[in-house]
Each structure stands twice: as structure tokens, then as C-alpha cells.
Short mmCIF file of all heavy atoms in Angstrom, two decimals:
data_model
loop_
_atom_site.label_atom_id
_atom_site.label_comp_id
_atom_site.label_asym_id
_atom_site.label_seq_id
_atom_site.Cartn_x
_atom_site.Cartn_y
_atom_site.Cartn_z
N PHE A 30 0.90 25.09 -8.04
CA PHE A 30 2.13 25.00 -8.83
C PHE A 30 1.87 24.12 -10.05
O PHE A 30 1.93 22.90 -9.98
CB PHE A 30 3.25 24.44 -7.95
CG PHE A 30 4.61 24.47 -8.56
CD1 PHE A 30 4.93 25.34 -9.59
CD2 PHE A 30 5.60 23.61 -8.10
CE1 PHE A 30 6.19 25.36 -10.14
CE2 PHE A 30 6.86 23.63 -8.64
CZ PHE A 30 7.16 24.50 -9.67
N GLY A 31 1.58 24.72 -11.21
CA GLY A 31 1.17 23.99 -12.41
C GLY A 31 2.21 23.03 -12.93
O GLY A 31 1.88 21.90 -13.34
N LYS A 32 3.48 23.44 -12.95
CA LYS A 32 4.55 22.58 -13.46
C LYS A 32 4.65 21.29 -12.65
O LYS A 32 4.89 20.20 -13.19
CB LYS A 32 5.89 23.31 -13.37
CG LYS A 32 6.10 24.41 -14.40
CD LYS A 32 6.44 23.85 -15.77
CE LYS A 32 6.83 24.98 -16.73
NZ LYS A 32 7.02 24.48 -18.10
N PHE A 33 4.45 21.44 -11.35
CA PHE A 33 4.55 20.28 -10.47
C PHE A 33 3.48 19.24 -10.78
O PHE A 33 3.75 18.05 -10.86
CB PHE A 33 4.43 20.75 -9.01
CG PHE A 33 4.30 19.64 -8.03
CD1 PHE A 33 5.37 18.81 -7.74
CD2 PHE A 33 3.10 19.40 -7.40
CE1 PHE A 33 5.24 17.77 -6.85
CE2 PHE A 33 2.96 18.36 -6.51
CZ PHE A 33 4.03 17.54 -6.24
N ASN A 34 2.25 19.71 -11.00
CA ASN A 34 1.16 18.78 -11.30
C ASN A 34 1.36 18.13 -12.66
O ASN A 34 1.01 16.96 -12.86
CB ASN A 34 -0.17 19.53 -11.25
CG ASN A 34 -0.56 19.92 -9.84
OD1 ASN A 34 -0.72 19.08 -8.98
ND2 ASN A 34 -0.68 21.21 -9.58
N ALA A 35 1.92 18.87 -13.61
CA ALA A 35 2.22 18.30 -14.92
C ALA A 35 3.31 17.22 -14.80
O ALA A 35 3.27 16.20 -15.48
CB ALA A 35 2.68 19.39 -15.88
N PHE A 36 4.25 17.47 -13.90
CA PHE A 36 5.31 16.48 -13.65
C PHE A 36 4.72 15.18 -13.11
O PHE A 36 5.07 14.09 -13.55
CB PHE A 36 6.33 17.05 -12.67
CG PHE A 36 7.21 16.02 -12.02
CD1 PHE A 36 8.20 15.38 -12.76
CD2 PHE A 36 7.03 15.67 -10.69
CE1 PHE A 36 9.01 14.41 -12.16
CE2 PHE A 36 7.83 14.71 -10.10
CZ PHE A 36 8.82 14.07 -10.83
N LEU A 37 3.80 15.30 -12.14
CA LEU A 37 3.17 14.11 -11.57
C LEU A 37 2.39 13.34 -12.63
O LEU A 37 2.40 12.11 -12.66
CB LEU A 37 2.23 14.50 -10.43
CG LEU A 37 2.88 15.04 -9.15
CD1 LEU A 37 1.82 15.45 -8.15
CD2 LEU A 37 3.81 13.99 -8.54
N ALA A 38 1.71 14.08 -13.51
CA ALA A 38 0.92 13.43 -14.57
C ALA A 38 1.80 12.71 -15.59
O ALA A 38 1.33 11.82 -16.30
CB ALA A 38 0.06 14.48 -15.27
N SER A 39 3.09 13.09 -15.65
CA SER A 39 4.00 12.50 -16.64
C SER A 39 4.64 11.20 -16.16
O SER A 39 5.36 10.55 -16.92
CB SER A 39 5.09 13.50 -17.03
OG SER A 39 6.00 13.70 -15.95
N ILE A 40 4.41 10.82 -14.90
CA ILE A 40 4.99 9.58 -14.37
C ILE A 40 4.36 8.38 -15.08
O ILE A 40 3.14 8.19 -15.03
CB ILE A 40 4.78 9.47 -12.85
CG1 ILE A 40 5.43 10.64 -12.13
CG2 ILE A 40 5.34 8.15 -12.32
CD1 ILE A 40 5.16 10.67 -10.63
N PRO A 41 5.15 7.53 -15.73
CA PRO A 41 4.60 6.38 -16.48
C PRO A 41 3.90 5.37 -15.57
O PRO A 41 4.27 5.21 -14.40
CB PRO A 41 5.84 5.76 -17.14
CG PRO A 41 6.86 6.84 -17.16
CD PRO A 41 6.61 7.65 -15.91
N LEU A 42 2.93 4.67 -16.11
CA LEU A 42 2.17 3.66 -15.37
C LEU A 42 3.05 2.60 -14.70
O LEU A 42 2.82 2.26 -13.54
CB LEU A 42 1.17 2.96 -16.31
CG LEU A 42 -0.15 3.66 -16.62
CD1 LEU A 42 -0.94 2.82 -17.63
CD2 LEU A 42 -0.97 3.84 -15.36
N PRO A 43 4.04 2.03 -15.41
CA PRO A 43 4.84 0.96 -14.78
C PRO A 43 5.57 1.41 -13.51
O PRO A 43 5.80 0.60 -12.62
CB PRO A 43 5.84 0.57 -15.89
CG PRO A 43 5.17 0.97 -17.16
CD PRO A 43 4.41 2.21 -16.83
N VAL A 44 5.96 2.69 -13.45
CA VAL A 44 6.61 3.20 -12.24
C VAL A 44 5.65 3.10 -11.06
O VAL A 44 6.00 2.61 -9.98
CB VAL A 44 7.07 4.66 -12.43
CG1 VAL A 44 7.60 5.23 -11.11
CG2 VAL A 44 8.14 4.76 -13.50
N MET A 45 4.42 3.54 -11.28
CA MET A 45 3.42 3.47 -10.22
C MET A 45 3.06 2.02 -9.90
O MET A 45 2.82 1.66 -8.75
CB MET A 45 2.15 4.23 -10.64
CG MET A 45 2.38 5.69 -11.04
SD MET A 45 3.34 6.63 -9.85
CE MET A 45 2.29 6.53 -8.42
N GLY A 46 3.04 1.18 -10.93
CA GLY A 46 2.73 -0.23 -10.72
C GLY A 46 3.75 -0.92 -9.84
O GLY A 46 3.40 -1.74 -8.98
N GLY A 47 5.04 -0.59 -10.03
CA GLY A 47 6.09 -1.19 -9.22
C GLY A 47 5.93 -0.86 -7.74
O GLY A 47 6.18 -1.70 -6.87
N VAL A 48 5.50 0.37 -7.45
CA VAL A 48 5.28 0.78 -6.07
C VAL A 48 4.01 0.15 -5.51
O VAL A 48 3.95 -0.28 -4.36
CB VAL A 48 5.19 2.32 -5.98
CG1 VAL A 48 4.75 2.75 -4.60
CG2 VAL A 48 6.53 2.94 -6.32
N MET A 49 2.96 0.08 -6.35
CA MET A 49 1.67 -0.44 -5.91
C MET A 49 1.74 -1.90 -5.49
O MET A 49 1.04 -2.32 -4.56
CB MET A 49 0.64 -0.27 -7.02
CG MET A 49 0.15 1.16 -7.21
SD MET A 49 -0.80 1.34 -8.74
CE MET A 49 -2.19 0.28 -8.42
N ILE A 50 2.55 -2.69 -6.19
CA ILE A 50 2.69 -4.11 -5.83
C ILE A 50 3.09 -4.25 -4.37
O ILE A 50 2.56 -5.07 -3.62
CB ILE A 50 3.72 -4.80 -6.76
CG1 ILE A 50 3.14 -4.96 -8.17
CG2 ILE A 50 4.11 -6.18 -6.20
CD1 ILE A 50 4.12 -5.51 -9.18
N LEU A 51 4.04 -3.42 -3.97
CA LEU A 51 4.50 -3.45 -2.57
C LEU A 51 3.49 -2.80 -1.65
O LEU A 51 3.19 -3.33 -0.56
CB LEU A 51 5.85 -2.73 -2.47
CG LEU A 51 6.49 -2.66 -1.08
CD1 LEU A 51 6.81 -4.07 -0.58
CD2 LEU A 51 7.75 -1.81 -1.12
N LEU A 52 2.94 -1.68 -2.08
CA LEU A 52 2.04 -0.90 -1.22
C LEU A 52 0.77 -1.66 -0.88
O LEU A 52 0.39 -1.76 0.30
CB LEU A 52 1.69 0.41 -1.92
CG LEU A 52 0.72 1.33 -1.19
CD1 LEU A 52 1.34 1.85 0.09
CD2 LEU A 52 0.31 2.49 -2.08
N PHE A 53 0.10 -2.22 -1.88
CA PHE A 53 -1.16 -2.92 -1.62
C PHE A 53 -0.93 -4.19 -0.82
O PHE A 53 -1.76 -4.57 0.01
CB PHE A 53 -1.87 -3.23 -2.93
CG PHE A 53 -2.37 -2.00 -3.65
CD1 PHE A 53 -2.68 -2.04 -5.00
CD2 PHE A 53 -2.52 -0.81 -2.98
CE1 PHE A 53 -3.14 -0.91 -5.66
CE2 PHE A 53 -2.98 0.33 -3.63
CZ PHE A 53 -3.29 0.27 -4.97
N GLY A 54 0.21 -4.84 -1.06
CA GLY A 54 0.54 -6.01 -0.25
C GLY A 54 0.81 -5.63 1.19
O GLY A 54 0.45 -6.36 2.12
N THR A 55 1.42 -4.45 1.38
CA THR A 55 1.69 -3.96 2.73
C THR A 55 0.40 -3.69 3.49
O THR A 55 0.28 -4.00 4.68
CB THR A 55 2.53 -2.67 2.67
OG1 THR A 55 3.75 -2.94 1.98
CG2 THR A 55 2.85 -2.15 4.07
N ILE A 56 -0.58 -3.11 2.80
CA ILE A 56 -1.88 -2.83 3.43
C ILE A 56 -2.53 -4.14 3.88
O ILE A 56 -3.04 -4.25 5.01
CB ILE A 56 -2.81 -2.08 2.46
CG1 ILE A 56 -2.24 -0.70 2.14
CG2 ILE A 56 -4.22 -1.95 3.06
CD1 ILE A 56 -3.00 0.04 1.06
N ALA A 57 -2.49 -5.15 3.01
CA ALA A 57 -3.05 -6.46 3.36
C ALA A 57 -2.31 -7.06 4.55
O ALA A 57 -2.92 -7.66 5.45
CB ALA A 57 -2.98 -7.40 2.15
N SER A 58 -0.99 -6.89 4.57
CA SER A 58 -0.18 -7.41 5.68
C SER A 58 -0.52 -6.72 7.00
O SER A 58 -0.47 -7.34 8.07
CB SER A 58 1.31 -7.23 5.37
OG SER A 58 1.66 -7.96 4.21
N LEU A 59 -0.86 -5.44 6.94
CA LEU A 59 -1.26 -4.71 8.14
C LEU A 59 -2.55 -5.30 8.73
O LEU A 59 -2.72 -5.35 9.95
CB LEU A 59 -1.46 -3.23 7.83
CG LEU A 59 -0.19 -2.41 7.61
CD1 LEU A 59 -0.54 -0.99 7.16
CD2 LEU A 59 0.65 -2.36 8.88
N GLY A 60 -3.44 -5.73 7.85
CA GLY A 60 -4.66 -6.40 8.32
C GLY A 60 -4.34 -7.70 9.02
O GLY A 60 -4.91 -8.02 10.07
N LEU A 61 -3.39 -8.44 8.45
CA LEU A 61 -2.94 -9.70 9.07
C LEU A 61 -2.28 -9.42 10.41
O LEU A 61 -2.49 -10.15 11.39
CB LEU A 61 -1.97 -10.40 8.12
CG LEU A 61 -1.51 -11.80 8.52
CD1 LEU A 61 -2.70 -12.76 8.62
CD2 LEU A 61 -0.50 -12.33 7.49
N LYS A 62 -1.49 -8.34 10.47
CA LYS A 62 -0.82 -7.96 11.71
C LYS A 62 -1.84 -7.61 12.80
O LYS A 62 -1.62 -7.90 13.98
CB LYS A 62 0.09 -6.76 11.46
CG LYS A 62 0.89 -6.30 12.68
CD LYS A 62 1.81 -5.15 12.31
CE LYS A 62 2.64 -4.70 13.52
NZ LYS A 62 1.82 -4.13 14.60
N THR A 63 -2.96 -7.00 12.39
CA THR A 63 -4.02 -6.68 13.35
C THR A 63 -4.54 -7.94 14.03
O THR A 63 -4.77 -7.96 15.25
CB THR A 63 -5.19 -5.96 12.64
OG1 THR A 63 -4.69 -4.76 12.02
CG2 THR A 63 -6.30 -5.60 13.61
N LEU A 64 -4.72 -9.01 13.26
CA LEU A 64 -5.20 -10.29 13.81
C LEU A 64 -4.15 -10.93 14.72
O LEU A 64 -4.46 -11.45 15.80
CB LEU A 64 -5.54 -11.25 12.67
CG LEU A 64 -6.71 -10.86 11.76
CD1 LEU A 64 -6.84 -11.85 10.61
CD2 LEU A 64 -8.02 -10.82 12.55
N ILE A 65 -2.88 -10.85 14.29
CA ILE A 65 -1.80 -11.47 15.06
C ILE A 65 -1.57 -10.74 16.38
O ILE A 65 -1.45 -11.36 17.44
CB ILE A 65 -0.49 -11.50 14.23
CG1 ILE A 65 -0.67 -12.43 13.01
CG2 ILE A 65 0.69 -11.96 15.08
CD1 ILE A 65 0.48 -12.36 12.03
N ASP A 66 -1.52 -9.41 16.32
CA ASP A 66 -1.27 -8.62 17.53
C ASP A 66 -2.35 -8.84 18.59
O ASP A 66 -2.07 -8.83 19.79
CB ASP A 66 -1.20 -7.13 17.19
CG ASP A 66 0.09 -6.77 16.45
OD1 ASP A 66 0.99 -7.62 16.40
OD2 ASP A 66 0.18 -5.63 15.92
N ALA A 67 -3.60 -9.01 18.12
CA ALA A 67 -4.71 -9.22 19.05
C ALA A 67 -4.87 -10.69 19.43
O ALA A 67 -5.77 -11.03 20.21
CB ALA A 67 -6.01 -8.71 18.43
N GLN A 68 -3.99 -11.55 18.86
CA GLN A 68 -4.03 -13.00 19.12
C GLN A 68 -5.43 -13.57 18.86
O GLN A 68 -5.98 -14.32 19.68
CB GLN A 68 -3.57 -13.29 20.55
CG GLN A 68 -2.13 -12.88 20.82
CD GLN A 68 -1.67 -13.24 22.23
OE1 GLN A 68 -2.46 -13.26 23.16
NE2 GLN A 68 -0.39 -13.52 22.38
N VAL A 69 -5.99 -13.20 17.71
CA VAL A 69 -7.31 -13.71 17.33
C VAL A 69 -7.21 -15.21 17.03
O VAL A 69 -6.39 -15.63 16.21
CB VAL A 69 -7.84 -12.95 16.09
CG1 VAL A 69 -9.16 -13.59 15.59
CG2 VAL A 69 -8.06 -11.49 16.41
N ASP A 70 -8.02 -15.99 17.68
CA ASP A 70 -8.02 -17.44 17.53
C ASP A 70 -8.96 -17.83 16.38
O ASP A 70 -10.18 -17.80 16.52
CB ASP A 70 -8.48 -18.10 18.83
CG ASP A 70 -8.41 -19.63 18.76
OD1 ASP A 70 -7.91 -20.15 17.74
OD2 ASP A 70 -8.87 -20.28 19.71
N LEU A 71 -8.36 -18.19 15.24
CA LEU A 71 -9.18 -18.55 14.07
C LEU A 71 -9.73 -19.97 14.16
O LEU A 71 -10.45 -20.42 13.26
CB LEU A 71 -8.36 -18.39 12.79
CG LEU A 71 -8.06 -16.94 12.38
CD1 LEU A 71 -7.21 -16.90 11.11
CD2 LEU A 71 -9.35 -16.15 12.16
N MET A 72 -9.41 -20.69 15.24
CA MET A 72 -10.03 -22.00 15.46
C MET A 72 -11.41 -21.85 16.08
O MET A 72 -12.19 -22.80 16.11
CB MET A 72 -9.14 -22.86 16.37
CG MET A 72 -7.81 -23.27 15.73
SD MET A 72 -8.03 -24.08 14.13
CE MET A 72 -8.87 -25.58 14.63
N ARG A 73 -11.70 -20.66 16.58
CA ARG A 73 -13.06 -20.39 17.07
C ARG A 73 -13.98 -20.21 15.85
O ARG A 73 -13.68 -19.39 14.97
CB ARG A 73 -13.10 -19.15 17.94
CG ARG A 73 -12.49 -19.35 19.32
CD ARG A 73 -12.57 -18.09 20.16
NE ARG A 73 -12.10 -18.32 21.53
CZ ARG A 73 -12.87 -18.73 22.53
NH1 ARG A 73 -14.16 -18.94 22.33
NH2 ARG A 73 -12.36 -18.92 23.74
#
């Protein structure tokens, strides 16, 4: 669907940036959650 791909390409950078700030932080938080859920002792 050509029109659809052109629509995606027209999304301005700041729109994607606003989502990315949350998204990339969420990914990092999931890594932290992995340590917490497994009760990893960082004093070791």
C-alpha cells in the first residue's frame, strides 16, 4: 500500500522523538525489572 508508506515517511522527527523518550526508557526499565524480579544481590 504505497500511500500508507508515504504517510509513515511524512511523520515529523519530533513526533517520533516524543515517543522514543518513553520507549527507550521503558526498555531500560525492563532490564532493571529483570534484576529486581530475580532478586539479584548487587552486594555480591
